[in-house]
């Protein structure tokens, strides 16, 4: 049996008196895309932030079978997990290329240049805008750059926090095309989305969060056919 790349057990995240995530248990199989769905404030970003280690949590997180307790964010990234945060946090005054280089600061110059070329193949728009300042990119281009930057280290588990947020339908299509291309290369993904239908179309398995707890889970295809979810999330 293949063991999960990510195994989360009874994970809780609290901020003062707000219990953002309550005793959540979930897993990601190697090479699969797992969607996390749920409305505003359900705790989705808190979950991802806890997994990468930028907010504290209780419970257990195993990455490739190893506990992440006491492992700082930087080491988690070095070990192969990365997060593209909801706010896409780019360095606005730096060029597209320099933003990518920062994502690959662990690589030597030659390896980084090679990787930037590969990322340019995946996102032709970034190749075209290599010298443009990040602050002047469109929303869609920024999302591509944030994803490209996370991919510099060739992660085993890519976590995406609402990659379609604020983007026009045609650009959302492009973002999901890239997700499918990454899936075809074997990258495992944890995909947080409010755009449930689009997420379920690329995912293998999904969890639905409601006020901090997982209330439904199942294969993506079963969820797409579930009339209750249809009413609640798929519109
Ligand atoms: N740093 C913080 N301090 C206090 N409360 C927080 C903090 N971050 C998040 N929360 C609260 O935790 C709850 C979950 O927030 P979270 O951002 O995880 O939800 P979400 O599912 O990602 O929502 P959205 O879809 O709007 O991004 C919310 O009630 C939010 O107000
Ligand atoms: Mg969020």
């Amino acid at each position: 049996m293949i063991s999960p790349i990510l195994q989360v057990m009874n994970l809780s995240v609290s901020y003062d008196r707000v219990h953002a995530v309550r005793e959540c248990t979930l897993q990601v199989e190697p090479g699969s895309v797992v969607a996390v769905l749920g409305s505003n404030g359900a705790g989705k970003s808190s979950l991802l932030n806890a997994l990468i280690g930028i907010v504290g949590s209780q419970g257990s997180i195993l990455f490739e079978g190893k506990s992440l307790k006491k492992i700082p964010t930087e080491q988690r990234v070095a070990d192969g997990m990365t997060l593209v945060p909801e706010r896409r946090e780019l360095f606005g005054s730096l060029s597209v290329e320099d933003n990518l280089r920062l994502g690959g600061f662990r690589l030597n110059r030659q390896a980084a240049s090679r990787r930037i070329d590969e990322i340019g193949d995946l996102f032709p728009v970034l190749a075209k805008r290599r010298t443009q300042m990040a602050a002047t990119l469109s929303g869609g281009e920024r999302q591509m750059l944030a994803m490209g930057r996370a991919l510099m280290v060739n992660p085993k588990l890519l976590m995406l926090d609402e990659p379609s947020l604020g983007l026009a339908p045609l650009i959302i299509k492009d973002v999901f095309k890239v997700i499918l291309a990454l899936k075809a290369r074997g990258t495992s993904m944890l995909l947080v989305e409010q755009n449930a239908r689009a997420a379920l179309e690329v995912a293998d398995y999904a969890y639905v969060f409601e006020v901090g707890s997982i209330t439904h889970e199942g294969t993506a295809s079963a969820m797409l056919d579930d009339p209750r979810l249809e009413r609640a999330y798929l519109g």
Side-chain angles (χ1 to χ4, degrees), residues 15 18-21 38-47 86 161-162 192 194:
Y15 310 101
V18 180
H19 297 295
V21 177
S39 45
N40 290 121
K44 308 178 299 296
S45 297
S46 299
L47 168 73
E86 202 174 286
D161 197 348
E162 304 215 27
V192 162
Q194 283 193 50

Side-chain angles (χ1 to χ4, degrees), residues 148-165:
R149 192 177 54 181
L151 290 171
M152 282 296 287
V153 291
N154 218 345
K156 298 175 197 161
L157 175 69
L158 177 66
M159 300 189 283
L160 299 165
D161 197 348
E162 304 215 27
S164 76
L165 190 71

Side-chain angles (χ1 to χ4, degrees), residues 7-13 21-27 47 51 57-62 69 212 214:
Q7 192 160 21
V8 176
M9 281 166 293
N10 301 318
L11 191 85
S12 297
V13 178
V21 177
R22 301 162 195 252
E23 309 246 322
C24 286
T25 293
L26 59 91
Q27 61 185 45
L47 168 73
L51 295 178
S57 60
Q58 285 171 313
S60 129
I61 307 168
L62 302 181
K69 198 160 251 167
I214 294 169

Side-chain angles (χ1 to χ4, degrees), residues 49-67:
N49 292 339
L51 295 178
I52 200 72
I54 54 182
V55 304
S57 60
Q58 285 171 313
S60 129
I61 307 168
L62 302 181
F63 180 64
E64 296 189 303
K66 280 188 304 196
S67 169

Side-chain angles (χ1 to χ4, degrees), residues 45 48-49 54 83-92 96 99-100 102-103 126 134-135 137-150 159-168 171-172 175-176 179 191-195:
S45 297
L48 295 192
N49 292 339
I54 54 182
L83 169 65
V84 180
E86 202 174 286
R87 272 180 268 278
R88 299 165 196 172
E89 288 147 16
L90 300 167
F91 296 94
V96 165
N99 270 278
L100 291 174
L102 281 171
L126 295 183
L137 297 175
S138 73
E141 291 162 352
R142 265 169 215 254
Q143 180 58 41
M144 306 286 179
L145 179 52
M147 287 172 73
R149 192 177 54 181
M159 300 189 283
L160 299 165
D161 197 348
E162 304 215 27
S164 76
L165 190 71
L167 303 183
I171 311 291
I172 293 178
V175 169
F176 278 95
I179 292 173
L191 170 64
V192 162
E193 263 298 334
Q194 283 193 50
N195 197 335

